[in-house]
Amino acid sequence: MMRGIPASLLRTAGFAGLFLVMEFVSRAAMAQHSDVPVVWPAAGVAVMWFVAQRAARMRWADPVALVAVIVAVNLAAGAGAAVAVVCAAAGLAQVEVFRRLLPRAYRGSDGAALRPRDLWMLLAVVAGAAAAGAAVGVAGLWLVTGALPGSTAAIWSFCDAGNMLLFAAGMLHLQAVAATYRARYGLVAAGCRRSVRAVSGARAAEYAAVTLCALAGYGVAMIWPGVSMVFPLIALTVWAAVRLSTTYVMAHSLGAAVVTAVCTLHGYGPFTQLGSPSHAVLVGQVFIATITLVGLALALGRDERDTLTAELAGEKERASQQADLLNAVVDSMADGLAVVDERQGIVRHNPAARRLMGRIRPADETGNSSYYGLSRLDGTPFADEELPYRQAIADGQVHIVDLLTNNPDLPQERILRFIATPLTLACGARQAVVLAHDITAERRHRDELASFAGVVAHDLLNPLATVEGWTEAVADALTDAPEHPAVAEANSGLARVERAAARMRGLVNDLLAYTTTRDATIKPATVDLHPLVTDVADARIDTAMAADTPVPTFTVGDLDPVHADPVLLRQLLDNLISNAVKYTAAGVTPHITITGTRQDDTVAVTIADNGIGIPAGQHDAVFDTFHRAHRGKGYGGTGLGLAICKRTVERHGGTITATDNPGGGTRFTFTLPAAADTAVTDPTTNHTTQTPELVA
């Protein structure tokens, strides 16, 4: 902190010295023309001073130094003390108004590049500051001398505004350049050296040409006798602003202002031919202000355009790199990926899609399922309307399906898992992103494990029956034994063996049931669901009454006949209803509602309960093999019941889902093919009877 204060004061002293010199220059310029100044550079230096010192630690020193210099110069020039104080007050008001208005016009932080908008806002700021200084000066001089300055005050104000614009814009630009150099190269000097070295020979020649033309043009216009036109020199400013750096443009404008002021001061140039010193000064200042505004407006506009062009080119390059990276990632994927539009055309696909599918359908081909040889895993045909990408485009949901694909371009049939995700473009068009994953080996391995589990389960039944039989025999033998601690301990051990054997039998039965649902031949028939549901519900009620547990209540709605295997269908309903009864909180009477709805060729059956529900995030996982959602909470099970249900439904071409019941509990909904004939099988007797045709 101590090192910052002396540096700030040193800058204040330097600007105060420069301001003092400019004050004497202004007085000298005014000497030959009464009280009308040809140029008033002190005003420009003052605002440049306060712009540079915006972040100074001791900002109070700058206005003190400014007032001291103005008072000293006026006293030295023979003005009275009162006039000197008025001039100091006017100068202080001018820079203070400028300092307060600048942040409102120049929104950028220190070091931000000037934009064309900033130039016009800066013009409004300097006009306001000059008007404020003139108002204070006129009012003060009128109070001190009793006379109004008249047109002289207006000329002073115009001179101040022009010089403040040039100096303030120059200082802001130099600060931006310095900040850029420090950020890129660490030092301003290093940035300057790099910028100079970056100038090509042709561009250096152009700099020299503009400079020489400017020297020649202003020399002829200001010194050559009889020349009364200087405004064509604006063309040089335009040339510099369009082609050369903004720093050079500002230097060019400053040089033109100095040449114009000096020549006019010494009686040269077309402005001195106007007769009146006031007119000469006014027209000269108009010329200086014109070349300043024209040069800065064109240069800053060009800089802004170049910046935007560079940013656009950079964004385009980055977008191209991102696109190349994305293409490389997509093309290197082992999974197939395709984008399908609403017309079923493939917009884009990666090499893996062709490798997995065997072929890509041309635009003139129809029937995607037949072209790719798509079918369900049991070999039944798969309709185009059921394709996952068509459903994803239609309803905006993600659809996942496992399909068998077999066509002449494949060496052997494959099982592919298709995941279709909806995609809506900015233009409103709807597409779908389809990901194809080869699960042939996975399904084969799973099927082998399931077959193995079925064989093992079947082979375990004999030793399990032996264990249960001998356990029962030992238990019977111990009933006649006299009471003894050893007998009690033996009975306790036998009870544990019986429970373990019961759990083992449950697991074996589930494994056998799972194998059956996977491998057994389906024998579909038209089944009336209502008596089947009633029979399963009655069995649950009898079991609860025998076990002295809360007796469940059932509400059964209208159920349309379905076309399904009666044995597998009974097992499906028994599993779902048993779960609904079992997974109920202690002391709560289970209430199960079973309803059905028919939609075209399918019947959707919903089983809703008031149980403990399924934990969040596990509504899909509960259908996985050996998954138990309530493990360790006192609810038994092997984790195969719902897997069996899913397999049964899928083998019938349907779907099954689990959702939360709005009133608490769970809702399982599965779909099965609707009955198409009038021959209905009574699932309780397996006898087929003729019934009146049912209308959904």
Side-chain angles (χ1 to χ4, degrees):
M1 180 175 180
M2 293 301 296
R3 288 180 295 179
I5 294 177
S8 176
L9 292 177
L10 187 61
R11 287 194 300 269
T12 298
F15 278 112
L18 180 61
F19 181 71
L20 178 62
V21 173
M22 291 298 103
E23 278 283 290
F24 278 111
V25 170
S26 301
R27 293 292 172 178
M30 192 169 55
Q32 299 180 15
H33 300 279
S34 182
D35 58 349
V36 179
V38 175
V39 65
W40 196 264
V45 172
V47 298
M48 183 176 66
W49 176 1
F50 279 76
V51 168
Q53 289 287 84
R54 279 183 297 173
R57 295 176 181 272
M58 303 180 67
R59 283 184 291 180
W60 58 267
D62 298 298
V64 170
L66 177 74
V67 170
V69 171
I70 295 177
V71 171
V73 170
N74 278 275
L75 292 177
V83 174
V85 171
V86 170
C87 291
L92 186 61
Q94 187 168 268
V95 296
E96 185 64 20
V97 170
F98 180 89
R99 186 181 67 83
R100 293 187 177 276
L101 291 180
L102 181 62
R104 300 178 181 273
Y106 178 62
R107 295 290 184 178
S109 58
D110 289 345
L114 281 174
R115 300 169 300 171
R117 173 188 174 278
D118 298 327
L119 176 63
W120 305 119
M121 296 299 294
L122 188 61
L123 179 61
V125 170
V126 298
V136 173
V138 169
L141 292 177
W142 179 65
L143 291 175
V144 172
T145 64
L148 291 173
S151 61
T152 303
I155 297 176
W156 276 353
S157 178
F158 194 88
C159 291
D160 286 353
N163 284 279
M164 284 192 292
L165 175 65
L166 179 58
F167 279 83
M171 177 55 67
L172 292 174
H173 173 71
L174 291 178
Q175 285 181 336
V177 172
T180 302
Y181 286 166
R182 279 193 293 268
R184 291 182 180 177
Y185 311 113
L187 296 174
V188 176
C192 293
R193 288 194 297 269
R194 287 179 176 266
S195 297
V196 172
R197 286 197 296 267
V199 176
S200 63
R203 185 54 56 90
E206 191 171 5
Y207 274 108
V210 173
T211 303
L212 292 176
C213 289
L215 292 175
Y218 279 94
V220 171
M222 294 297 175
I223 301 176
W224 198 273
V227 178
S228 59
M229 293 292 292
V230 293
F231 287 98
L233 295 175
I234 297 177
L236 292 173
T237 302
V238 174
W239 181 6
V242 171
R243 297 284 300 167
L244 306 179
S245 69
T246 304
T247 304
Y248 179 84
V249 173
M250 291 188 173
H252 174 86
S253 301
L254 180 61
V258 171
V259 170
T260 302
V262 170
C263 290
T264 304
L265 174 64
H266 291 85
Y268 295 102
F271 303 125
T272 59
Q273 302 174 15
L274 297 177
S276 170
S278 299
H279 291 168
V281 171
L282 183 60
V283 176
Q285 291 298 323
V286 169
F287 174 74
I288 294 173
T290 300
I291 62 174
T292 300
L293 284 174
V294 169
L296 291 179
L298 291 176
L300 295 178
R302 180 206 59 204
D303 290 347
E304 185 176 44
R305 183 187 66 248
D306 292 345
T307 300
L308 293 176
T309 302
E311 291 178 354
L312 180 61
E315 290 293 335
K316 183 178 179 180
E317 178 64 22
R318 286 189 289 273
S320 177
Q321 293 175 355
Q322 290 291 333
D324 292 342
L325 177 61
L326 180 60
N327 289 334
V329 170
V330 170
D331 290 344
S332 65
M333 290 173 56
D335 291 341
L337 185 143
V339 179
V340 186
D341 60 16
E342 293 176 302
R343 297 175 298 179
Q344 304 186 45
I346 296 181
V347 179
R348 194 205 188 293
H349 69 278
N350 64 350
R354 180 180 293 276
R355 185 176 66 254
L356 294 176
M357 299 292 296
R359 53 174 66 179
I360 298 298
R361 184 178 68 85
D364 56 348
E365 286 283 348
T366 59
N368 279 329
S369 294
S370 59
Y371 182 79
Y372 292 110
L374 298 176
S375 62
R376 292 186 174 87
L377 300 185
D378 59 3
T380 58
F382 197 81
D384 283 351
E385 293 74 16
E386 298 176 323
L387 288 170
Y389 72 83
R390 294 191 62 173
Q391 296 182 6
I393 294 176
D395 59 18
Q397 303 293 323
V398 177
H399 289 268
I400 304 175
V401 63
D402 295 344
L403 295 176
L404 188 68
T405 177
N406 189 9
N407 59 67
D409 293 341
L410 287 175
Q412 59 184 5
E413 64 181 17
R414 291 193 178 108
I415 300 176
L416 300 180
R417 173 164 295 166
F418 293 95
I419 304 175
T421 304
L423 176 66
T424 302
L425 303 181
C427 61
R430 304 183 69 178
Q431 297 181 346
V433 179
V434 182
L435 189 68
H437 178 63
D438 189 351
I439 60 171
T440 306
E442 176 186 338
R443 289 298 294 257
R444 183 181 297 115
H445 181 62
R446 192 178 74 178
D447 291 345
E448 291 174 353
L449 287 177
S451 299
F452 175 76
V455 172
V456 171
H458 184 273
D459 292 344
L460 285 176
L461 286 178
N462 287 333
L464 183 59
T466 301
V467 170
E468 291 176 335
W470 281 106
T471 302
E472 184 178 355
V474 172
D476 291 341
L478 289 177
T479 55
D480 297 330
E483 293 185 2
H484 190 275
V487 174
E489 184 177 356
N491 283 324
S492 175
L494 287 174
R496 287 194 292 270
V497 172
E498 289 176 349
R499 289 195 297 271
R503 288 194 298 271
M504 185 66 178
R505 180 169 290 279
L507 176 59
V508 169
N509 289 335
D510 284 346
L511 287 172
L512 289 175
Y514 184 76
T515 303
T516 300
T517 59
R518 184 183 64 86
D519 295 329
T521 302
I522 295 180
K523 299 178 181 179
T526 301
V527 180
D528 189 352
L529 282 175
H530 201 280
L532 179 58
V533 169
T534 302
D535 188 57
V536 173
D538 289 342
R540 293 298 104 195
I541 293 173
D542 293 342
T543 301
M545 295 176 65
D548 196 21
T549 57
V551 178
T553 60
F554 293 85
T555 300
V556 182
D558 293 333
L559 300 172
D560 292 286
V562 297
H563 190 66
D565 187 298
V567 176
L568 295 180
L569 184 55
R570 171 183 284 276
Q571 185 182 43
L572 169 66
L573 291 169
D574 187 63
N575 276 338
L576 293 177
I577 293 175
S578 296
N579 278 353
V581 173
K582 179 171 69 173
Y583 291 101
T584 305
V588 176
T589 299
H591 181 74
I592 295 92
T593 301
I594 304 170
T595 57
T597 57
R598 180 166 179 172
Q599 299 176 349
D600 299 330
D601 295 333
T602 62
V603 174
V605 179
T606 299
I607 300 177
D609 60 56
N610 62 337
I612 59 176
I614 298 175
Q618 299 190 40
H619 291 80
D620 293 330
V622 293
F623 296 104
D624 296 338
T625 54
F626 300 108
H627 180 87
R628 296 179 60 191
H630 300 285
R631 188 184 303 271
K633 295 185 178 180
Y635 296 95
T638 61
L640 286 172
L642 291 179
I644 293 172
C645 294
K646 180 181 180 182
R647 184 59 183 160
T648 299
V649 172
E650 288 180 346
R651 293 195 68 190
H652 284 83
T655 60
I656 184 170
T657 59
T659 58
D660 292 331
N661 192 9
T666 307
R667 297 176 63 180
F668 286 94
T669 301
F670 62 87
T671 60
L672 293 173
D677 53 46
T678 59
V680 178
T681 298
D682 184 350
T684 61
T685 62
N686 280 339
H687 293 309
T688 302
T689 58
Q690 295 293 327
T691 63
E693 184 175 0
L694 298 175
V695 180

